[in-house]
Short mmCIF file of all heavy atoms in Angstrom, two decimals:
data_model
loop_
_atom_site.label_atom_id
_atom_site.label_comp_id
_atom_site.label_asym_id
_atom_site.label_seq_id
_atom_site.Cartn_x
_atom_site.Cartn_y
_atom_site.Cartn_z
N GLY F 205 23.49 70.28 120.53
CA GLY F 205 23.62 70.42 121.98
C GLY F 205 24.44 71.61 122.38
O GLY F 205 24.45 72.02 123.54
N GLU F 206 25.17 72.18 121.43
CA GLU F 206 25.92 73.43 121.62
C GLU F 206 26.88 73.38 122.80
O GLU F 206 27.07 74.38 123.49
CB GLU F 206 24.95 74.60 121.75
CG GLU F 206 24.06 74.78 120.52
CD GLU F 206 23.02 75.87 120.70
OE1 GLU F 206 22.42 75.94 121.81
OE2 GLU F 206 22.81 76.64 119.76
N GLY F 207 27.46 72.22 123.04
CA GLY F 207 28.47 72.12 124.09
C GLY F 207 27.94 71.89 125.48
O GLY F 207 28.73 71.67 126.41
N ASP F 208 26.63 71.93 125.67
CA ASP F 208 26.04 71.69 126.98
C ASP F 208 25.97 70.18 127.22
O ASP F 208 25.37 69.45 126.43
CB ASP F 208 24.65 72.31 127.06
CG ASP F 208 23.99 72.09 128.41
OD1 ASP F 208 23.35 71.03 128.58
OD2 ASP F 208 24.12 72.96 129.29
N PHE F 209 26.55 69.71 128.31
CA PHE F 209 26.67 68.28 128.56
C PHE F 209 25.30 67.60 128.63
O PHE F 209 25.02 66.65 127.87
CB PHE F 209 27.45 68.03 129.85
CG PHE F 209 27.73 66.57 130.13
CD1 PHE F 209 28.84 65.95 129.59
CD2 PHE F 209 26.87 65.83 130.93
CE1 PHE F 209 29.09 64.61 129.84
CE2 PHE F 209 27.12 64.48 131.19
CZ PHE F 209 28.23 63.87 130.64
N GLY F 210 24.43 68.06 129.52
CA GLY F 210 23.14 67.43 129.70
C GLY F 210 22.27 67.51 128.46
O GLY F 210 21.65 66.51 128.06
N LYS F 211 22.22 68.66 127.84
CA LYS F 211 21.41 68.84 126.63
C LYS F 211 21.90 67.91 125.51
O LYS F 211 21.09 67.32 124.79
CB LYS F 211 21.48 70.30 126.17
CG LYS F 211 20.69 70.60 124.90
CD LYS F 211 20.83 72.07 124.51
CE LYS F 211 20.09 72.37 123.21
NZ LYS F 211 20.26 73.80 122.81
N SER F 212 23.20 67.77 125.40
CA SER F 212 23.78 66.98 124.31
C SER F 212 23.51 65.49 124.48
O SER F 212 23.10 64.81 123.52
CB SER F 212 25.28 67.24 124.21
OG SER F 212 25.55 68.59 123.93
N ILE F 213 23.72 64.97 125.68
CA ILE F 213 23.50 63.53 125.86
C ILE F 213 22.01 63.20 125.78
O ILE F 213 21.63 62.15 125.25
CB ILE F 213 24.13 62.98 127.16
CG1 ILE F 213 23.53 63.62 128.41
CG2 ILE F 213 25.63 63.16 127.13
CD1 ILE F 213 24.01 62.96 129.70
N CYS F 214 21.18 64.10 126.26
CA CYS F 214 19.73 63.87 126.15
C CYS F 214 19.28 63.93 124.68
O CYS F 214 18.41 63.16 124.26
CB CYS F 214 18.97 64.88 126.99
SG CYS F 214 19.08 64.58 128.78
N THR F 215 19.86 64.83 123.91
CA THR F 215 19.55 64.90 122.48
C THR F 215 19.92 63.60 121.80
O THR F 215 19.16 63.06 120.99
CB THR F 215 20.29 66.07 121.82
OG1 THR F 215 19.83 67.30 122.39
CG2 THR F 215 20.05 66.10 120.31
N ALA F 216 21.09 63.06 122.14
CA ALA F 216 21.53 61.80 121.53
C ALA F 216 20.56 60.67 121.85
O ALA F 216 20.19 59.88 120.97
CB ALA F 216 22.93 61.45 122.02
N VAL F 217 20.12 60.59 123.10
CA VAL F 217 19.21 59.51 123.50
C VAL F 217 17.84 59.69 122.85
O VAL F 217 17.23 58.74 122.37
CB VAL F 217 19.10 59.47 125.03
CG1 VAL F 217 18.00 58.49 125.47
CG2 VAL F 217 20.44 59.07 125.65
N GLN F 218 17.35 60.93 122.80
CA GLN F 218 16.02 61.19 122.27
C GLN F 218 15.93 60.95 120.76
O GLN F 218 14.83 60.76 120.23
CB GLN F 218 15.60 62.63 122.60
CG GLN F 218 15.32 62.83 124.08
CD GLN F 218 15.25 64.29 124.48
OE1 GLN F 218 15.54 65.19 123.70
NE2 GLN F 218 14.86 64.54 125.73
N MET F 219 17.08 60.94 120.08
CA MET F 219 17.05 60.69 118.64
C MET F 219 16.96 59.21 118.31
O MET F 219 16.86 58.82 117.15
CB MET F 219 18.27 61.32 117.97
CG MET F 219 18.25 62.83 118.01
SD MET F 219 19.60 63.62 117.10
CE MET F 219 18.97 63.55 115.42
N ALA F 220 16.97 58.36 119.36
CA ALA F 220 16.71 56.93 119.24
C ALA F 220 17.86 56.17 118.60
O ALA F 220 19.00 56.56 118.75
CB ALA F 220 15.40 56.68 118.52
N PHE F 221 17.57 55.07 117.92
CA PHE F 221 18.56 54.09 117.47
C PHE F 221 19.27 53.52 118.70
O PHE F 221 18.61 53.21 119.69
CB PHE F 221 19.51 54.69 116.45
CG PHE F 221 18.88 54.88 115.09
CD1 PHE F 221 18.09 56.00 114.81
CD2 PHE F 221 19.05 53.95 114.08
CE1 PHE F 221 17.49 56.17 113.58
CE2 PHE F 221 18.44 54.11 112.83
CZ PHE F 221 17.66 55.22 112.58
N ASP F 222 20.59 53.40 118.71
CA ASP F 222 21.30 52.74 119.82
C ASP F 222 21.56 53.76 120.93
O ASP F 222 22.64 54.34 121.03
CB ASP F 222 22.60 52.11 119.32
CG ASP F 222 23.10 51.03 120.26
OD1 ASP F 222 22.80 51.11 121.46
OD2 ASP F 222 23.79 50.12 119.79
N THR F 223 20.56 53.95 121.77
CA THR F 223 20.54 55.12 122.66
C THR F 223 21.65 55.14 123.70
O THR F 223 22.26 56.18 123.93
CB THR F 223 19.18 55.19 123.38
OG1 THR F 223 18.91 53.92 124.00
CG2 THR F 223 18.07 55.50 122.39
N ASP F 224 21.92 53.98 124.36
CA ASP F 224 22.94 54.03 125.41
C ASP F 224 24.32 54.27 124.84
O ASP F 224 25.13 55.01 125.41
CB ASP F 224 22.91 52.75 126.27
CG ASP F 224 23.32 51.50 125.50
OD1 ASP F 224 22.97 51.39 124.32
OD2 ASP F 224 23.97 50.63 126.10
N CYS F 225 24.58 53.69 123.67
CA CYS F 225 25.89 53.89 123.04
C CYS F 225 26.09 55.35 122.65
O CYS F 225 27.15 55.93 122.91
CB CYS F 225 26.02 53.01 121.80
SG CYS F 225 26.03 51.24 122.16
N ASN F 226 25.10 55.93 122.02
CA ASN F 226 25.25 57.30 121.52
C ASN F 226 25.33 58.32 122.65
O ASN F 226 26.14 59.25 122.60
CB ASN F 226 24.10 57.64 120.57
CG ASN F 226 24.08 56.76 119.35
OD1 ASN F 226 25.13 56.27 118.92
ND2 ASN F 226 22.91 56.53 118.78
N GLY F 227 24.51 58.15 123.68
CA GLY F 227 24.59 59.05 124.82
C GLY F 227 25.95 58.98 125.49
O GLY F 227 26.53 60.01 125.88
N ALA F 228 26.48 57.75 125.60
CA ALA F 228 27.79 57.57 126.23
C ALA F 228 28.90 58.19 125.40
O ALA F 228 29.83 58.82 125.94
CB ALA F 228 28.05 56.08 126.44
N THR F 229 28.83 58.03 124.08
CA THR F 229 29.88 58.58 123.22
C THR F 229 29.88 60.10 123.26
O THR F 229 30.95 60.73 123.38
CB THR F 229 29.69 58.08 121.77
OG1 THR F 229 29.84 56.65 121.75
CG2 THR F 229 30.71 58.70 120.84
N VAL F 230 28.71 60.70 123.19
CA VAL F 230 28.62 62.16 123.26
C VAL F 230 29.13 62.65 124.60
O VAL F 230 29.90 63.62 124.68
CB VAL F 230 27.17 62.61 123.01
CG1 VAL F 230 27.00 64.10 123.33
CG2 VAL F 230 26.75 62.34 121.57
N GLY F 231 28.73 61.98 125.68
CA GLY F 231 29.20 62.38 127.00
C GLY F 231 30.71 62.24 127.15
O GLY F 231 31.36 63.07 127.80
N SER F 232 31.26 61.21 126.53
CA SER F 232 32.71 60.98 126.60
C SER F 232 33.46 62.11 125.90
O SER F 232 34.46 62.63 126.42
CB SER F 232 33.03 59.64 125.94
OG SER F 232 34.38 59.30 126.11
N ILE F 233 32.99 62.50 124.72
CA ILE F 233 33.65 63.57 123.97
C ILE F 233 33.56 64.89 124.73
O ILE F 233 34.56 65.61 124.89
CB ILE F 233 33.01 63.71 122.57
CG1 ILE F 233 33.29 62.46 121.74
CG2 ILE F 233 33.53 64.96 121.86
CD1 ILE F 233 32.44 62.35 120.49
N LEU F 234 32.38 65.21 125.23
CA LEU F 234 32.21 66.48 125.94
C LEU F 234 32.89 66.46 127.31
O LEU F 234 33.35 67.50 127.78
CB LEU F 234 30.72 66.80 126.09
CG LEU F 234 30.00 67.13 124.79
CD1 LEU F 234 28.53 67.41 125.05
CD2 LEU F 234 30.64 68.31 124.08
N GLY F 235 32.97 65.28 127.92
CA GLY F 235 33.69 65.18 129.18
C GLY F 235 35.17 65.47 128.98
O GLY F 235 35.80 66.15 129.80
N MET F 236 35.73 64.98 127.89
CA MET F 236 37.13 65.28 127.58
C MET F 236 37.28 66.76 127.25
O MET F 236 38.28 67.40 127.64
CB MET F 236 37.60 64.42 126.41
CG MET F 236 39.08 64.55 126.08
SD MET F 236 40.15 64.08 127.44
CE MET F 236 41.16 62.83 126.66
N ARG F 237 36.32 67.31 126.56
CA ARG F 237 36.36 68.73 126.16
C ARG F 237 36.32 69.67 127.35
O ARG F 237 37.08 70.64 127.42
CB ARG F 237 35.19 69.02 125.22
CG ARG F 237 34.98 70.49 124.86
CD ARG F 237 33.75 70.61 123.96
NE ARG F 237 33.43 71.98 123.60
CZ ARG F 237 32.56 72.74 124.26
NH1 ARG F 237 31.93 72.26 125.35
NH2 ARG F 237 32.31 73.98 123.86
N GLY F 238 35.43 69.39 128.30
CA GLY F 238 35.21 70.32 129.40
C GLY F 238 35.74 69.88 130.74
O GLY F 238 35.72 70.65 131.71
N GLY F 239 36.19 68.62 130.83
CA GLY F 239 36.68 68.12 132.10
C GLY F 239 35.56 67.84 133.08
O GLY F 239 34.38 68.00 132.79
N ASN F 240 35.95 67.41 134.25
CA ASN F 240 34.99 67.04 135.29
C ASN F 240 34.04 68.17 135.63
O ASN F 240 32.87 67.96 135.95
CB ASN F 240 35.76 66.60 136.54
CG ASN F 240 34.87 65.93 137.56
OD1 ASN F 240 33.97 65.17 137.21
ND2 ASN F 240 35.13 66.18 138.83
N ALA F 241 34.53 69.40 135.52
CA ALA F 241 33.72 70.56 135.91
C ALA F 241 32.51 70.77 135.01
O ALA F 241 31.53 71.41 135.42
CB ALA F 241 34.59 71.81 135.90
N CYS F 242 32.54 70.24 133.79
CA CYS F 242 31.42 70.45 132.86
C CYS F 242 30.27 69.49 133.11
O CYS F 242 29.20 69.63 132.50
CB CYS F 242 31.89 70.35 131.42
SG CYS F 242 32.02 68.66 130.77
N ILE F 243 30.47 68.52 133.99
CA ILE F 243 29.44 67.51 134.25
C ILE F 243 28.78 67.82 135.59
O ILE F 243 29.41 67.74 136.65
CB ILE F 243 30.05 66.10 134.27
CG1 ILE F 243 30.86 65.83 132.99
CG2 ILE F 243 28.96 65.05 134.43
CD1 ILE F 243 31.64 64.53 133.01
N ASP F 244 27.52 68.19 135.55
CA ASP F 244 26.80 68.54 136.76
C ASP F 244 26.73 67.36 137.73
O ASP F 244 26.72 66.19 137.32
CB ASP F 244 25.38 68.99 136.44
CG ASP F 244 25.34 70.32 135.71
OD1 ASP F 244 26.33 71.07 135.80
OD2 ASP F 244 24.32 70.61 135.04
N GLU F 245 26.67 67.68 139.01
CA GLU F 245 26.57 66.65 140.05
C GLU F 245 25.34 65.76 139.83
O GLU F 245 25.33 64.59 140.20
CB GLU F 245 26.49 67.32 141.42
CG GLU F 245 26.71 66.39 142.59
CD GLU F 245 28.12 65.78 142.62
OE1 GLU F 245 29.04 66.38 142.03
OE2 GLU F 245 28.28 64.72 143.24
N TYR F 246 24.34 66.31 139.18
CA TYR F 246 23.12 65.57 138.85
C TYR F 246 23.43 64.27 138.11
O TYR F 246 22.79 63.24 138.34
CB TYR F 246 22.23 66.47 137.98
CG TYR F 246 20.99 65.82 137.43
CD1 TYR F 246 19.81 65.80 138.19
CD2 TYR F 246 20.97 65.25 136.16
CE1 TYR F 246 18.67 65.21 137.68
CE2 TYR F 246 19.83 64.67 135.65
CZ TYR F 246 18.68 64.64 136.41
OH TYR F 246 17.55 64.06 135.90
N TRP F 247 24.42 64.32 137.23
CA TRP F 247 24.79 63.14 136.44
C TRP F 247 25.78 62.24 137.17
O TRP F 247 25.80 61.03 136.95
CB TRP F 247 25.41 63.57 135.10
CG TRP F 247 24.49 64.39 134.26
CD1 TRP F 247 24.57 65.73 133.99
CD2 TRP F 247 23.32 63.93 133.58
NE1 TRP F 247 23.53 66.13 133.20
CE2 TRP F 247 22.75 65.05 132.92
CE3 TRP F 247 22.70 62.69 133.45
CZ2 TRP F 247 21.58 64.95 132.15
CZ3 TRP F 247 21.54 62.59 132.69
CH2 TRP F 247 21.00 63.71 132.05
N LYS F 248 26.61 62.82 138.02
CA LYS F 248 27.68 62.05 138.66
C LYS F 248 27.26 61.33 139.94
O LYS F 248 27.72 60.22 140.21
CB LYS F 248 28.86 62.98 138.97
CG LYS F 248 29.59 63.49 137.75
CD LYS F 248 30.78 64.37 138.10
CE LYS F 248 30.35 65.75 138.58
NZ LYS F 248 31.49 66.69 138.66
N LYS F 249 26.39 61.95 140.71
CA LYS F 249 26.08 61.43 142.04
C LYS F 249 25.55 59.99 142.03
O LYS F 249 26.00 59.16 142.84
CB LYS F 249 25.09 62.35 142.75
CG LYS F 249 24.85 61.97 144.20
CD LYS F 249 23.97 62.99 144.92
CE LYS F 249 23.76 62.59 146.38
NZ LYS F 249 22.90 63.58 147.09
N PRO F 250 24.61 59.64 141.14
CA PRO F 250 24.08 58.26 141.17
C PRO F 250 25.13 57.19 140.89
O PRO F 250 24.99 56.05 141.34
CB PRO F 250 23.00 58.27 140.07
CG PRO F 250 22.63 59.71 139.91
CD PRO F 250 23.90 60.47 140.15
N VAL F 251 26.18 57.56 140.15
CA VAL F 251 27.21 56.58 139.81
C VAL F 251 28.08 56.25 141.03
O VAL F 251 28.67 55.17 141.11
CB VAL F 251 28.06 57.09 138.63
CG1 VAL F 251 29.16 56.11 138.27
CG2 VAL F 251 27.17 57.35 137.43
N ASN F 252 28.16 57.19 141.97
CA ASN F 252 28.82 56.93 143.26
C ASN F 252 30.28 56.49 143.10
O ASN F 252 30.77 55.64 143.84
CB ASN F 252 28.03 55.88 144.06
CG ASN F 252 28.39 55.86 145.53
OD1 ASN F 252 28.83 56.87 146.08
ND2 ASN F 252 28.20 54.72 146.16
N ASN F 253 30.95 57.05 142.08
CA ASN F 253 32.38 56.82 141.86
C ASN F 253 32.72 55.35 141.58
O ASN F 253 33.85 54.91 141.80
CB ASN F 253 33.21 57.31 143.06
CG ASN F 253 34.68 57.50 142.72
OD1 ASN F 253 35.02 57.96 141.64
ND2 ASN F 253 35.56 57.14 143.65
#
Side-chain angles (χ1 to χ4, degrees):
E206 300 176 318
D208 180 273
F209 185 86
K211 179 181 178 182
S212 299
I213 62 173
C214 287
T215 297
V217 172
Q218 290 165 353
M219 292 185 81
F221 286 82
D222 201 333
T223 52
D224 66 323
C225 294
N226 297 332
T229 297
V230 170
S232 187
I233 294 166
L234 292 179
M236 186 61 124
R237 172 182 177 266
N240 192 38
C242 82
I243 307 173
D244 291 339
E245 194 64 23
Y246 174 86
W247 300 108
K248 291 182 286 192
K249 187 174 181 180
V251 179
N252 197 27
N253 198 39

